[in-house]
Amino acid sequence: MPNITAAGRTAAGSGWQQYVDSNGQTTDYAIYIDIDTTVGGFIPSQDIPTYTASLGGDSRMWDSNGAQCVYQATHTGFRIYLRANFRDAKDEDQELDVAFAQANNWFINWQGIQQF
């Protein structure tokens, strides 16, 4: 079966946005990034590619979860949401914000496969 396979990564520390909840409130515990996969040349008249993703960076990637969950997949990209996965000494949720992702040079590795 023929296919198109493409891979890439986002720029370290760039493109992250603060998550806004359903009430329109900016959160302090989640961020997201939109991944542009147009370099893959996926064919719009065929099925949406199957994407896989992982989080990379200099440090503290284990402080989040969600990097492997692909949302809003299209032929030209998808979205990844990250949520804080850590607590302080008082067992309170810590912040996960854009500055944290930037300071740790976080990026998303991705691969897309479209079979037709």
Side-chain angles (χ1 to χ4, degrees):
M1 178 178 285
N3 66 59
I4 297 172
T5 302
R9 67 176 258 190
T10 61
S14 297
W16 296 100
Q17 299 181 58
Q18 205 64 41
Y19 175 69
V20 177
D21 68 19
S22 60
N23 295 320
Q25 300 297 312
T26 301
T27 68
D28 62 358
Y29 60 82
I31 57 177
Y32 69 93
I33 188 168
D34 291 319
I35 314 300
D36 179 356
T37 64
T38 55
V39 68
F42 298 116
I43 302 168
S45 62
Q46 301 295 322
D47 289 343
I48 292 173
T50 300
Y51 293 111
T52 56
S54 66
L55 177 64
D58 292 341
S59 184
R60 310 276 309 260
M61 286 79 74
W62 53 268
D63 281 338
S64 71
N65 58 29
Q68 75 284 5
C69 300
V70 173
Y71 291 87
Q72 302 171 4
T74 69
H75 293 92
T76 59
F78 60 94
R79 180 174 283 185
I80 295 287
Y81 293 95
L82 298 181
R83 183 180 171 101
N85 190 38
F86 51 101
R87 296 177 176 270
D88 66 13
K90 296 178 184 175
D91 204 32
E92 295 178 0
D93 288 333
Q94 292 293 295
E95 291 185 8
L96 176 56
D97 58 16
V98 171
F100 189 85
Q102 292 170 335
N104 290 290
N105 289 314
W106 284 3
F107 57 87
I108 296 292
N109 300 298
W110 64 269
Q111 180 180 22
I113 301 173
Q114 183 184 50
Q115 296 183 338
F116 49 92

